[in-house]
Amino acid sequence: MDEQQASWQQPAPGAPWVLTPPPPGPLEPVSGLATAVLVLSGVAAAADLVIALTAFGADPTSAFDATTEVSVLGSLCWLAALVVTSVWLLRVRRNAERMSPFHHHVRSRGWAWAGWIVPVVSWWFPFQVVRDALTASAAARPGRLPRPPLALWWGTWVASQVVSNVGAWVTSGVGPAAGAVQLLGVAVLGVALAAWIRVVRTATALQTP
């Protein structure tokens, strides 16, 4: 069934026409997905830590070793986290639109999925989708909760990816130097994860009646 749209109405004869939002529909539940997002994000971060520790003892001349196996497992963890996070974020976005129909979102709904995987724009589109959804949700419940650390979350997330990717390229991904760089990336990722927990919990609280 199509969602109701905003309409122009005249409160009284001779009065100015005003754009009236549609009655808010029921909000989609987000708490279960939020728990899955946090659990999978934590598992993926733990996998990165294991990869970094394994890199210390890896043989740079070996084409396949324990580091490769752990890296494959880590990639699967991040893929699962990405899928569940995208489902959760799309639901949060739809709820935000119901809560504040006139709030402007910089990006369309589709970027709740595509923003994470499209090259280049993945460096800032997901932040904009999350920021606008939270802002719209908070506008419908003023004073209910403090603002989560969005800038800290996204800044440290991007920094962790840069450190890990550049480190893997410079050190070939194995050996003590690679392990040290990857541990640095994991440390920054840990800060991002702590901030992300607050972001997810805030969105869940705002969208839970």
Side-chain angles (χ1 to χ4, degrees), residues 1-15:
M1 182 180 293
D2 294 336
E3 295 183 1
Q4 292 180 278
Q5 302 295 318
S7 60
W8 289 96
Q9 297 183 9
Q10 190 177 32

Side-chain angles (χ1 to χ4, degrees), residues 158-179:
V158 171
S160 70
Q161 300 309 298
V162 171
V163 170
S164 298
N165 292 333
V166 172
W169 177 69
V170 172
T171 64
S172 300
V174 292

Side-chain angles (χ1 to χ4, degrees), residues 21-66:
L27 299 182
E28 300 177 61
V30 295
S31 59
L33 279 172
T35 300
V37 166
L38 295 181
V39 169
L40 288 172
S41 297
V43 170
D48 278 4
L49 176 59
V50 174
I51 292 171
L53 295 174
T54 306
F56 276 102
D59 181 3
T61 63
S62 176
F64 187 86
D65 53 25

Side-chain angles (χ1 to χ4, degrees), residues 19 34 38 46 70 74 81-82 95 107 112 126 134 143 158 167 173-174 195-196 206:
L19 185 61
L38 295 181
V70 175
L82 171 64
N95 283 343
R107 306 299 166 194
L134 276 172
V158 171
V174 292
W196 178 235
L206 287 171

Side-chain angles (χ1 to χ4, degrees), residues 115 118-127 154 157-159 161-162 165:
V118 175
V120 183
V121 301
S122 61
W123 293 107
W124 73 91
F125 273 29
F127 170 79
W154 192 249
W157 164 255
V158 171
Q161 300 309 298
V162 171
N165 292 333

